[in-house]
Amino acid sequence: MPDTAPNRRKWWGVAAAAVAVALVGSGIYGRIHAEQHLASVAAGAAVPTVNLIAPKPGTNHDTLTLPANLQALNNAPIYARTSGYVRQWLVNIGDTVHRGQVLAVLDAPEVEQQLAAAQADLQTARANQQLANTTAQRWSQMLSKDAVSQQETDEKRGELAARTAVTAAAQANVRRLQATIGFTRLRAPFDGIVTTRNAEIGALVTAGNAGAQPLFVVADVNRIRALVRVPQGYSADVKPGMEVTLALPEYPGRTFTATMTRSAGAVDPSSGTVLVELQASNGDRALKPGAYAQASFPIHGGGNALTLPPSALMVGQDGTRVAVLRADGKAELRKITIGRDLGKSIEVSAGLSPNDRVIDSPPESLQTGDPVRVAQGGANAR
């Protein structure tokens, strides 16, 4: 009977190898399946889940209230036109000044010496001119008697013309230095008040220094200008001549009447607004240059505007934007123009339509073209 032991060992080896291969294959399959599952979970987690909101129509308002910056009708920084030392200052901040009133006096000894030298040069030039004139007249008389030549007479006349020109130049130099001396008295250019004083007795003042501070600033506050930036959506409703109401936080319950005087007539592309100017009389000086105010325009605006909660806005270097869900299920970042801040809602005057599906509280990393998932119950915009 043949020995079957080697055959049995052979078959047992084949069976063991098959089992080992099956175990390895099962492990590889399990690992691949786990990796695919993790990749699927990671891909699903990368898609943000969002809620959608619908823009609400704006409400018609009787007034459009916007921030305004107050400025003086005229504002002049006073610099020194000549170098010297401050001898005395005569007015201080808050003082009322009139046109031509002296604000400060400078000492300019160098300029005074230059003026004295120029006046001496002028006297010398006049004496030389007088002598040249007398000589030219005598030579003209002698020429009529054929006592001198025509060439010599022409030379004397030319010398007189040259001396006359030197005298004129010396006289112009004297007038220049006299005007420079006049600049040692700093005067108010118009009626107003002193809002800044940097003049100190004994301080050196250097004329023509680009980095120097003005010695005084005089502002005409009898009338006040208010600069307001009106959103483009309302720019057609504001016109020169309309009355505007100003309100200041330091005067609760009090309003000031202003008149719109002019408009820039162009939209600033960086802000989407039109710059307009208001003017208001300021007899009691209650309105102060540099102050902040609220300007209320009597218009009926907001009918074409839409409102959103502040949580829907994305504010960055590219301006104010909102994220809108497109029909293909991907996000689109859209730039908008804000009309007014109503507190609990923001009025959007441009960049949005009533049918847009806006993403509420969009992730900061969201970009145009990114897929998003609508949360359950969030498909119907609230």
Side-chain angles (χ1 to χ4, degrees):
M1 183 175 183
D3 189 3
T4 60
N7 292 331
R8 287 197 300 271
R9 288 195 296 270
K10 179 179 180 181
W11 285 107
W12 280 108
V14 172
V19 171
V21 170
L23 291 174
V24 172
S26 176
I28 294 174
Y29 174 77
R31 185 176 301 172
I32 293 175
H33 180 71
E35 290 179 353
Q36 291 177 347
H37 178 70
L38 290 175
S40 177
V41 171
V47 178
T49 302
V50 299
N51 292 315
L52 300 180
I53 57 175
K56 296 181 179 180
T59 305
N60 287 327
H61 300 280
D62 292 335
T63 59
L64 171 66
T65 302
L66 297 170
N69 295 319
L70 303 187
Q71 296 182 6
L73 183 63
N74 292 301
N75 190 77
I78 310 299
Y79 293 89
R81 289 287 305 275
T82 184
S83 300
Y85 296 90
V86 178
R87 181 195 302 174
Q88 61 179 153
W89 50 267
L90 305 175
V91 294
N92 209 339
I93 57 173
D95 289 349
T96 300
V97 296
H98 302 285
R99 181 177 181 179
Q101 180 177 341
V102 178
L103 308 179
V105 180
L106 306 181
D107 275 332
E110 294 181 356
V111 180
E112 293 173 356
Q113 295 301 318
Q114 292 175 6
L115 177 59
Q119 289 174 336
D121 292 340
L122 176 59
Q123 295 299 325
T124 301
R126 285 175 174 171
N128 292 333
Q129 179 189 9
Q130 183 63 34
L131 177 60
N133 182 46
T134 302
T135 303
Q137 291 179 356
R138 288 175 179 173
W139 282 73
S140 296
Q141 294 174 358
M142 289 188 291
L143 178 63
S144 62
K145 300 177 181 180
D146 294 330
V148 294
S149 66
Q150 182 67 45
Q151 177 64 29
E152 293 174 321
T153 303
D154 291 341
E155 290 177 356
K156 298 304 179 182
R157 291 174 179 172
E159 184 177 357
L160 172 61
R163 296 295 184 182
T164 302
V166 171
T167 301
Q171 190 170 10
N173 189 38
V174 169
R175 286 197 296 265
R176 178 183 67 83
L177 291 172
Q178 286 175 339
T180 303
I181 289 292
F183 293 143
T184 58
R185 291 180 173 269
L186 278 66
R187 300 179 183 273
F190 45 74
D191 295 346
I193 63 171
V194 179
T195 60
T196 302
R197 178 185 68 83
N198 294 314
E200 299 292 344
I201 294 177
L204 174 63
V205 178
T206 303
N209 186 359
Q213 291 183 330
L215 297 181
F216 297 92
V217 176
V218 177
D220 180 3
V221 294
N222 290 325
R223 291 189 65 82
I224 289 291
R225 298 187 302 153
L227 300 181
V228 185
R229 294 191 176 276
V230 179
Q232 179 182 352
Y234 297 94
S235 59
D237 298 321
V238 296
K239 298 178 176 61
M242 69 185 306
E243 288 191 354
V244 183
T245 301
L246 296 178
L248 280 75
E250 62 265 36
Y251 300 109
R254 181 181 178 184
T255 59
F256 302 85
T257 301
T259 303
M260 180 176 167
T261 55
R262 58 182 54 87
S263 169
V267 177
D268 184 356
S270 63
S271 61
T273 59
V274 177
L275 182 65
V276 302
E277 179 184 297
L278 317 175
Q279 288 191 15
S281 58
N282 191 32
D284 60 353
R285 298 185 181 178
L287 302 176
K288 302 176 180 61
Y292 167 84
Q294 289 281 346
S296 297
F297 294 81
I299 64 173
H300 296 278
N304 297 326
L306 301 171
T307 59
L308 289 174
S311 58
L313 304 183
M314 302 177 68
V315 182
Q317 295 181 349
D318 297 331
T320 303
R321 299 181 296 175
V322 295
V324 178
L325 181 63
R326 300 189 311 210
D328 59 0
K330 296 182 180 180
E332 176 187 347
L333 300 187
R334 188 177 299 172
K335 190 172 182 180
I336 62 172
T337 300
I338 294 179
R340 285 182 292 177
D341 186 348
L342 303 177
K344 294 183 179 180
S345 63
I346 301 296
E347 194 174 76
V348 179
S349 58
L352 204 61
S353 67
N355 298 325
D356 286 330
R357 297 182 295 170
V358 180
I359 298 175
D360 192 17
S361 301
E364 294 182 0
S365 59
L366 189 65
Q367 299 294 329
T368 297
D370 290 350
V372 295
R373 181 186 299 110
V374 179
Q376 291 184 356
N380 296 324
R382 51 184 173 85

